[in-house]
Amino acid sequence: QDVEELVNVKDAVLSCATAEDKNGWQYLFQVKNAVLRSRLALRCLEKWPLDACLEILAYCISDLGITGELKASLQSRKKELQVYQKILNVQNEPLWNDWQDLKKACTDDPQAVMNIILKAKDYELCEEWGHLYPVPREDSINLHREHLIHLLEMGDMEKALQLLQRIEDPGICLAISEQSLDQHLNLAASHFLADYLTAHFYANLTTARRNEIQALYMGSKVLLTLPELSRVNYFHLSSRPLLMLEQLLMNMKVDWVAVAVQTLHQLLAGQEIGFTVEDIDNLLSKYAEKALNFPFALKEKRSGDFPSECCFSLGKEGPISLQSHFTNCVTVPASPRDRSLQQNLFPQEFVPPEKPPPKQQWIPDDTETICMACKTERFTMFNRRHHCRRCGRLVCSSCSTKKMAVEACRENLSRVCDQCYSYCNRE
């Protein structure tokens, strides 16, 4: 009994030293009463340095005599301090002297603390911190979205699913999943999000979103029919297969279009996703018409001294002769096209600028519809514009068959118009 009283007196003295001394945590290890030691630790933590707090908390938790609510309190404080420790470790410049300063900042300026964690891209730490302090709903959505996108970009679908399962608010899950889907991260991520939304929130999705998800599956199938190295150029259109098809047509990938159309026809059977087989056929008809509706020049040299040039246009009503010119009988042309044909008969030598113009000063694509060299060829989907690197004009492929070294151009040999080539290589 005397020994027990002596132990109690000793614990009381050590308790006073613990509470009063700056380094009082050191005396706690000598306190025999586990409950007294634990209660003192919880009460005096705010005075001590971080490492000492974590050490004494771990010691108190390890005592088998501590159970129930008291043990839960010790574990909760330990978890809180570990979060502070991680935040202090990720800051590039020391903004807080100790964990007590950081704790105050978490209450006074939580946005600054969250920004430090997000800057370090430690999303799991940000999630842990969010459990300690209330985060506004909008910030919580942004935080979880960035975390989800990070996991999807890393290809860790299992952790991405675990993250979504940890979020208690279904509204936040729906919001971050839809926002992430709109980012068009990659094919695997898009499929993961589409599957998740369909499985968990189908009733909450708008008709437009359901069609988009269905279109994403179809677009993915079309994307996989393209050569592997070219898929990256069309991935952003994976949820819009009809637009992808149009892009392929514009880029004159006729063979790819044939396979894509066949794939879409098979997938569209019995499906309603916002467009139909008829829409595909209309798109093909539109570009087929554009392909036929372009001008071409028919030139022939007749015997004698009377060269002639006839220009035709293929349209819905068949070929139409525009003008015939003869050297012995020149009339004043009425239209700009006639004037350009007239200029072709009496060409003047083109003189390029003294120095090649920078790219910013090239003739813009949308300002010219006819080749600026021959003044005959009209630009179409199949007769494309080319910029001469020497003069900056827009010319057709027939008038830009040469390459040569051009000052300030990165290419060893740059595409130039034939007129510039002839001028620069004249004897």
Side-chain angles (χ1 to χ4, degrees):
Q1 185 177 358
D2 292 340
V3 173
E4 186 178 348
E5 288 180 1
L6 183 61
V7 169
N8 291 338
V9 171
K10 184 179 179 181
D11 280 356
V13 173
L14 289 170
S15 298
C16 292
T18 298
E20 298 298 330
D21 196 293
K22 183 179 180 181
N23 296 319
W25 62 274
Q26 300 177 19
Y27 302 111
L28 273 181
F29 292 102
Q30 302 172 49
V31 175
K32 298 297 183 182
N33 188 317
V35 174
L36 177 62
R37 182 197 317 127
S38 299
R39 294 190 185 283
L40 276 169
L42 290 172
R43 192 169 124 193
C44 300
L45 282 176
E46 304 293 333
K47 301 178 181 179
W48 302 331
L50 182 58
D51 291 339
C53 291
L54 289 171
E55 185 179 356
I56 191 64
L57 285 171
Y59 182 72
C60 292
I61 292 169
S62 66
D63 195 302
L64 297 177
I66 301 300
T67 58
E69 187 177 337
L70 183 57
K71 186 172 185 178
S73 297
L74 291 168
Q75 291 172 331
S76 176
R77 289 309 303 272
K78 181 185 176 185
K79 193 173 182 179
E80 177 188 354
L81 291 176
Q82 286 174 330
V83 171
Y84 294 143
Q85 185 181 48
K86 291 176 184 178
I87 296 174
L88 290 171
N89 289 336
V90 300
Q91 58 178 344
N92 293 327
E93 299 177 2
L95 300 177
W96 307 288
N97 296 323
D98 47 44
W99 74 268
Q100 290 88 347
D101 285 347
L102 172 57
K103 182 180 179 180
K104 187 174 185 301
C106 289
T107 304
D108 297 344
D109 191 6
Q111 189 65 48
V113 178
M114 190 168 74
N115 289 340
I116 292 291
I117 307 173
L118 287 176
K119 188 176 181 181
K121 292 190 175 182
D122 195 334
Y123 299 105
E124 291 183 2
L125 172 57
C126 209
E127 188 180 348
E128 291 178 52
W129 177 81
H131 289 308
L132 297 176
Y133 294 92
V135 178
R137 180 181 173 82
E138 194 61 36
D139 290 339
S140 181
I141 290 175
N142 293 336
L143 165 62
H144 287 305
R145 184 190 64 242
E146 292 301 315
H147 191 185
L148 179 61
I149 289 174
H150 172 72
L151 293 173
L152 292 174
E153 286 179 335
M154 297 290 290
D156 199 335
M157 307 305 172
E158 184 177 351
K159 282 191 176 181
L161 181 59
Q162 291 171 357
L163 168 63
L164 290 168
Q165 291 171 341
R166 286 197 303 270
I167 300 173
E168 297 177 358
D169 187 339
I172 292 181
C173 285
L174 175 60
I176 67 172
S177 299
E178 289 202 274
Q179 290 175 16
S180 300
L181 182 64
D182 292 335
Q183 295 290 320
H184 303 290
L185 303 173
N186 54 58
L187 203 55
S190 296
H191 274 233
F192 169 86
L193 292 165
D195 286 338
Y196 180 81
L197 286 167
T198 303
H200 295 86
F201 297 102
Y202 188 80
N204 302 92
L205 300 177
T206 63
T207 302
R209 179 64 81 180
R210 292 175 188 173
N211 288 344
E212 180 187 349
I213 290 175
Q214 193 65 31
L216 173 65
Y217 284 120
M218 294 192 181
S220 302
K221 294 291 186 182
V222 172
L223 197 66
L224 292 173
T225 67
L226 307 183
E228 188 173 352
L229 295 178
S230 299
R231 291 172 192 168
V232 66
N233 300 324
Y234 300 92
F235 168 73
H236 64 289
L237 301 173
S238 55
S239 62
R240 305 175 69 185
L242 200 61
L243 193 58
M244 188 193 300
L245 189 63
E246 184 168 6
Q247 190 70 55
L248 291 170
L249 285 166
M250 291 176 67
N251 292 338
M252 296 181 291
K253 305 298 184 182
V254 181
D255 293 339
W256 301 358
V257 168
V259 179
V261 169
Q262 184 179 8
T263 303
L264 285 173
H265 276 198
Q266 293 171 351
L267 294 171
L268 278 170
Q271 298 288 342
E272 293 184 7
I273 63 168
F275 69 93
T276 63
V277 171
E278 186 178 353
D279 293 319
I280 296 176
D281 293 343
N282 289 339
L283 181 65
L284 295 175
S285 299
K286 171 184 171 184
Y287 277 86
E289 182 179 348
K290 283 187 176 182
L292 291 174
N293 190 21
F294 67 96
F296 70 95
L298 176 63
K299 301 181 181 180
E300 61 174 330
K301 183 85 173 185
R302 293 185 179 179
S303 58
D305 298 322
F306 296 94
S308 67
E309 180 174 311
C310 301
C311 187
F312 296 89
S313 173
L314 275 177
K316 292 180 179 178
E317 300 175 359
I320 304 170
S321 176
L322 296 179
Q323 186 75 21
S324 294
H325 296 278
F326 297 91
T327 54
N328 286 356
C329 182
V330 179
T331 59
V332 179
S335 68
R337 180 169 180 79
D338 292 337
R339 285 197 295 272
S340 64
L341 291 175
Q342 177 78 22
Q343 291 167 6
N344 288 341
L345 296 176
F346 305 100
Q348 295 181 353
E349 183 182 23
F350 172 72
V351 179
E354 185 177 348
K355 289 188 175 182
K359 189 173 182 178
Q360 299 87 339
Q361 296 179 12
W362 289 357
I363 303 297
D365 284 346
D366 57 357
T367 59
E368 298 293 333
T369 58
I370 296 177
C371 173
M372 298 176 71
C374 66
K375 295 182 172 55
T376 300
E377 293 291 333
R378 185 177 295 276
F379 298 127
T380 68
M381 182 179 69
F382 295 101
N383 191 20
R384 307 186 74 175
R385 298 167 172 80
H386 299 280
H387 274 106
C388 171
R389 270 53 172 176
R390 181 62 185 81
C391 65
R393 295 182 303 167
L394 288 166
V395 293
C396 64
S397 57
S398 300
C399 292
S400 55
T401 61
K402 308 292 186 184
K403 287 188 176 183
M404 70 179 194
V406 177
E407 182 183 349
C409 276
R410 285 180 293 181
E411 304 102 324
N412 292 332
L413 294 177
S414 303
R415 187 168 193 161
V416 296
C417 67
D418 295 350
Q419 291 176 337
C420 283
Y421 183 87
S422 299
Y423 182 88
C424 295
N425 290 278
R426 67 187 188 284
E427 295 181 359

